[in-house]
Amino acid sequence: MNQPVDLSGIQQYPHLFEPLDLGFTTIRNRSIMGSMHTGLEEMPDGFERMAAFYAERAAGGIGMIITGGISPNEEGGLAVKDEHGNVAFSASKLNTQAEADGHKIVTSAVHRAAPDVKICLQILHMGPLAYNDKLVAPSKVRSRISKLTPHELDEAGIEKQIADHANCALLAQQAGYDGVEIIGSAGYLLSTFLVEKTNRRSDQWGGSYENRMRFPLEVVRRVRAAVGDDFIVIFRIAAMDMLQGGMSWDEVALLAREIEKAGASIISTHFTWHESQVPTIATMVPRAAFTSVTHRVRQEVSVPVITSNRINMPDVAEAVLERGDADLVSMARPMLADSQFMQKAAEGKSQEINTCIACNQACLDHTFSFKMTSCLVNPRACNETLLNYLPTNAVKNIAVIGAGPAGLAYACVAAERGHRVTLFDASNEIGGQFNLAKRVPGKEEFYETLRYYDHQLRKVGVERRLNTRVDVSMLQAENFDHIIVATGISPRTPDIPGISHPMVMGYIDAINGTKPVGKNVAVVGAGGIGFDVTDLITHEGPSAAMDIDVFAREWGIDFENHPRGGVTGIEPHVAKADRTVWLLQRKDTPVGRGLGKTTGWTHRLTLGRRGVNMMNGVDYVRIDDEGLHLLVANQPECLPVDTVIICAGQEPERSLYEELLSAGLPAELVGGAFEANELDAKAAISQASWMASEV
Ligand code: NAP
Ligand code: SF4
């Protein structure tokens, strides 16, 4: 007899699981998978891979899916070159019947996987942020973040853009989509009509706000006319654009009301333009930080309103809905991290959710580097047709040595497939380097990853042996078929005269607080860890990620949208420790250049505002009682510090591996022990998961 399905989570999260009746159709719950460009759109087998990607999320219980952005024409999109140098738009554009036929592969897979899930196509006209030589905008204004200057649209060009939006929506309907989302925010075409900074026109499409609204309103009217009444039309509005001189609150509210009148079924709130210098989704942003803004939009309209940004667990979504901040909650990255998010929530198993930690390392950093999107904590994301954890038909007895990210991922995948796995670690807790990361202000989400692995190890039956330093004889005695060495790294000790001086410490002591850090500090090495350590020691009080008031004051955000754009004065010293810090590197490149594409700037700005002295092109001469002696541009200089923290990268920790090989045992390296330069959790988890999928 089949076990009854446990749906206790539906009582636990009543608002999240309440269906939403739109009159002509019903969304089965209040969760939406928000739009994310995956990079699959430009691939030759993109439709098939997108079909698998979205269908898995549909089967995982999401209420509605919004696809990655698809351009309504060539000038609004992303031109990619094929191997012959020909410009191709592949699946990222929809203005032909052939392209619509391709999209049918996606919509039919999703509806087959879950007939009551809705899938909407996002119409994304990138305007001045498009990557092609035909790009257009209301005025010839180049964005701060683009290398290309757009062509100014004439009257005929404007009519073409509107008609192309309507045509795209109609083709989407014919391709089997349940609706479209029109993006009217972020610095893309529609939003650039709304703001004086990017709309310098004096005709009927510019000047007064009424004129500036005309283009987005006309797009919505014409889309609605093309698709009829029984089709979902979502409009994504910049509820707070975070631009100095951006939209005032009255303008946002008026736009929302007019968009509803023009025929939108749902309004989705978006925060920031891509060019603004306020983090809105990075891990340092408090959870659900922006939903109060959506709340005010919701009071202006009678159609349902979607909120988003840093909502990554069911209890966060439930609280947002219960407060009445929104009718629907959009979660994009959390659906990359765990396709079964809503199913686990429904079954009362939220503790098993693999939580998005908002690192951006495998998703948005990839998107903005033209690489395929995936997920640091879930390398299967966007690899659904390639990476699968299928049951093994040859069960092996496997030892995994090291319970850091690589060891944890390997152990979980191998055990999920049916292997017998024993996980060893010398420490008394799992997590390895994650246990350092979680102590860094703004990286508290790493606790969730540790919680996930803790549950997952138990669920898939991995035997844990902590407080156990493994040696060759121990492994020999147990007769393992396979030994995975995930022993990680050792911090590198640079060859600087005086490196043994008592004022010198390693980053592990600095992060764990096991040695006192003085008032004047030199940080040697400005990679990810040098930045993390500098952030930690220059910070005092609650982390911005845990305190919305600190976050708002550090980044100059006014959640009431005053003044225009919602950006106000920054308070650089709000969480600053009383300490003088020099952050150093030998390279001549700007300090922090190697950090993540979408988050590096937030770290550079934070440390800059705290007065950290960032120095490149230094040579380390010696450390003595006077401090750290350097050569800077061949001139001697002494930093009068009382502490030197070494963050100079890592070396692989392979001594056990070499002993195992000498003893003739079947060992394999993974993670930092395999390649210390690749010591980052993204590479470690991905490599381990692929290896364990094949063992
Ligand atoms: P890293 O990024 O490789 O940086 C090492 C730093 O040490 C560099 O600044 C390097 O600069 C310096 N260095 C290297 N050899 C040295 C030597 N012999 N003497 C003095 N300085 C030396 O390594 P990490 O900071 O330890 O980070 C490790 C990994 O964790 C990276 O893959 C990183 O991506 C990841 N991580 C990422 C983040 C994040 O993205 N937020 C945070 C933490 C860690 P010079 O050679 O120019 O001096
Ligand atoms: Fe979230 Fe990081 Fe995965 Fe992106 S890569 S979905 S931010 S956990």
Side-chain angles (χ1 to χ4, degrees):
M1 205 174 81
N2 285 339
Q3 291 285 326
V5 180
D6 175 5
L7 293 176
S8 54
I10 294 180
Q11 280 87 48
Q12 197 179 344
Y13 310 113
H15 296 86
L16 183 57
F17 283 100
E18 188 186 348
L20 179 68
D21 184 0
L22 293 178
F24 59 92
T25 192
T26 298
I27 303 174
R28 63 182 175 175
N29 60 47
R30 302 304 178 104
S31 70
I32 293 179
M33 176 177 172
S35 173
M36 277 201 86
H37 188 84
T38 59
L40 299 175
E41 294 85 352
E42 287 82 31
M43 288 190 180
D45 54 352
F47 287 121
E48 289 74 14
R49 292 185 66 174
M50 280 193 285
F53 170 70
Y54 289 122
E56 185 169 310
R57 273 86 194 154
I62 197 79
M64 181 158 77
I65 292 169
I66 316 240
T67 67
I70 303 289
S71 177
N73 55 28
E74 295 193 357
E75 51 270 39
L78 176 69
V80 287
K81 285 199 175 145
D82 64 19
E83 65 271 30
H84 309 296
N86 298 321
V87 171
F89 283 86
S90 191
S92 66
K93 169 175 80 64
L94 176 56
N95 66 349
T96 67
Q97 194 55 54
E99 286 157 353
D101 290 342
H103 281 271
K104 285 180 187 162
I105 300 171
V106 176
T107 54
S108 56
V110 165
H111 290 136
R112 233 183 356 260
D116 57 344
V117 78
K118 306 288 177 248
I119 178 162
C120 300
L121 177 111
Q122 186 187 70
I123 306 179
L124 166 63
H125 190 308
M126 297 172 84
L129 299 180
Y131 298 94
N132 69 73
D133 54 12
K134 297 182 187 164
L135 77 169
V136 294
S139 304
K140 219 172 168 171
V141 178
R142 185 170 66 82
S143 164
R144 188 179 71 78
I145 56 169
S146 175
K147 294 194 174 81
L148 304 172
T149 303
H151 303 281
E152 181 170 316
L153 284 162
D154 60 14
E155 192 69 33
I158 287 181
E159 167 53 30
K160 177 182 183 303
Q161 305 311 312
I162 296 169
D164 286 349
H165 276 81
N167 176 51
C168 181
L170 184 61
L171 287 169
Q173 188 177 42
Q174 290 165 357
Y177 285 102
D178 301 288
V180 289
E181 175 177 89
I182 303 163
I183 186 149
S185 54
Y188 295 129
L189 182 67
L190 273 66
S191 56
T192 53
F193 273 87
L194 291 163
V195 175
E196 279 178 336
K197 178 181 167 180
T198 44
N199 183 347
R200 311 258 171 92
R201 305 177 75 96
S202 53
D203 60 4
Q204 60 160 337
W205 306 100
S208 68
Y209 188 58
E210 197 188 344
N211 281 355
R212 282 182 276 134
M213 277 195 304
R214 194 181 305 279
F215 182 80
L217 292 179
E218 201 49 33
V219 167
V220 175
R221 280 190 206 108
R222 294 272 286 276
V223 163
R224 175 55 78 201
V227 295
D229 290 339
D230 297 345
F231 194 66
I232 301 169
V233 176
I234 307 165
F235 187 89
R236 194 138 207 228
I237 192 172
M240 201 152 73
D241 57 31
M242 311 271 193
L243 296 174
Q244 266 163 2
M247 285 167 76
S248 70
W249 170 248
D250 289 344
E251 288 171 353
V252 171
L254 178 61
L255 179 66
R257 294 193 299 268
E258 293 298 317
I259 290 289
E260 176 176 2
K261 282 191 220 153
S265 341
I266 298 176
I267 289 175
S268 178
T269 48
H270 201 185
F271 312 96
T272 201
W273 277 27
H274 290 312
E275 67 180 66
S276 115
Q277 287 196 315
V278 179
T280 53
I281 57 168
T283 190
M284 82 230 317
V285 177
R287 288 176 170 189
F290 293 92
T291 64
S292 65
V293 184
T294 309
H295 186 105
R296 285 187 287 113
V297 172
R298 192 171 179 235
Q299 287 166 329
E300 299 290 333
V301 293
S302 56
V303 288
V305 176
I306 305 174
T307 196
S308 65
N309 290 43
R310 291 286 285 118
I311 299 169
N312 63 348
M313 284 297 276
D315 59 334
V316 185
E318 177 67 16
V320 166
L321 294 165
E322 190 177 8
R323 279 200 300 273
D325 284 0
D327 301 279
L328 294 147
V329 166
S330 170
M331 296 174 281
R333 295 173 300 167
M335 295 303 141
L336 289 178
D338 196 332
S339 62
Q340 305 305 299
F341 180 110
M342 286 299 288
Q343 186 58 33
K344 290 177 184 176
E347 292 173 9
K349 294 179 182 161
S350 296
Q351 292 298 308
E352 290 180 16
I353 290 175
N354 197 1
T355 306
C356 166
I357 57 174
C359 64
N360 287 358
Q361 280 176 247
C363 54
L364 292 174
D365 284 352
H366 280 206
T367 308
F368 287 102
S369 310
F370 302 106
K371 289 194 224 156
M372 191 192 82
T373 292
S374 189
C375 173
L376 181 145
V377 299
N378 174 25
R380 282 199 67 249
C382 297
N383 283 312
E384 287 76 11
T385 56
L386 305 173
L387 177 58
N388 281 298
Y389 308 146
L390 303 174
T392 179
N393 48 21
V395 176
K396 286 186 178 158
N397 188 17
I398 301 175
V400 178
I401 322 299
L408 288 168
Y410 192 101
C412 288
V413 172
E416 180 182 335
R417 295 186 51 228
H419 293 296
R420 272 195 309 280
V421 181
T422 310
L423 176 65
F424 296 88
D425 202 290
S427 162
N428 63 357
E429 58 182 355
I430 61 164
Q433 301 280 316
F434 277 167
N435 290 309
L436 294 178
K438 73 187 184 192
R439 293 176 192 273
V440 175
K443 292 200 167 178
E444 294 82 0
E445 292 288 0
F446 277 98
Y447 281 100
E448 297 287 4
T449 309
L450 292 166
R451 181 264 309 147
Y452 164 75
Y453 276 119
D454 186 37
H455 276 76
Q456 195 65 8
L457 291 174
R458 223 170 293 139
K459 185 176 167 196
V460 297
V462 173
E463 184 189 337
R464 260 182 259 207
R465 289 203 219 155
L466 300 178
N467 300 306
T468 307
R469 189 163 288 282
V470 171
D471 59 27
V472 174
S473 58
M474 188 190 288
L475 294 173
Q476 261 166 338
E478 297 207 31
N479 221 4
F480 287 106
D481 300 315
H482 203 55
I483 300 170
I484 293 298
V485 181
T487 41
I489 48 83
S490 307
R492 178 181 292 127
T493 304
D495 188 16
I496 305 172
I499 191 77
S500 309
H501 192 282
M503 78 163 86
V504 180
M505 68 171 77
Y507 65 82
I508 297 177
D509 282 323
I511 294 176
N512 284 334
T514 39
K515 286 192 180 163
V517 175
K519 288 280 184 200
N520 297 295
V521 184
V523 177
V524 170
I529 291 178
F531 264 80
D532 277 357
V533 165
T534 307
D535 191 332
L536 182 73
I537 63 173
T538 56
H539 174 271
E540 201 165 67
S543 144
M546 307 305 282
D547 186 321
I548 196 160
D549 180 48
V550 171
F551 171 66
R553 289 160 59 208
E554 269 197 334
W555 290 97
I557 302 166
D558 183 318
F559 289 104
E560 300 287 322
N561 292 56
H562 298 299
R564 279 178 176 274
V567 276
T568 172
I570 288 156
E571 291 182 45
H573 295 149
V574 59
K576 181 184 178 304
D578 177 22
R579 199 166 258 143
T580 304
V581 179
W582 287 265
L583 176 58
L584 310 168
Q585 72 176 31
R586 298 170 302 176
K587 285 187 285 294
D588 287 327
T589 50
V591 174
R593 172 160 286 178
L595 298 177
K597 184 139 184 136
T598 60
T599 52
W601 61 273
T602 63
H603 300 301
R604 289 189 292 269
L605 267 179
T606 300
L607 298 193
R609 286 172 187 161
R610 290 192 195 148
V612 171
N613 307 293
M614 297 186 219
M615 293 171 73
N616 56 4
V618 306
D619 278 327
Y620 304 109
V621 177
R622 69 177 183 282
I623 301 163
D624 60 23
D625 291 348
E626 285 178 42
L628 174 59
H629 297 262
L630 305 171
L631 277 180
V632 186
N634 285 326
Q635 296 301 311
E637 189 173 331
C638 177
L639 305 180
V641 295
D642 50 24
T643 307
V644 176
I645 304 176
I646 305 297
C647 305
Q650 292 84 16
E651 308 284 354
E653 183 52 70
R654 290 192 190 145
S655 46
L656 175 68
Y657 175 69
E658 278 150 18
E659 287 168 30
L660 290 170
L661 288 194
S662 310
L665 290 182
E668 211 173 350
L669 289 168
V670 67
F674 174 79
E675 174 62 78
N677 287 339
E678 290 291 318
L679 162 75
D680 68 57
K682 177 180 77 175
I685 293 176
S686 173
Q687 185 201 20
S689 304
W690 283 89
M691 276 168 62
S693 73
E694 287 164 5
V695 66

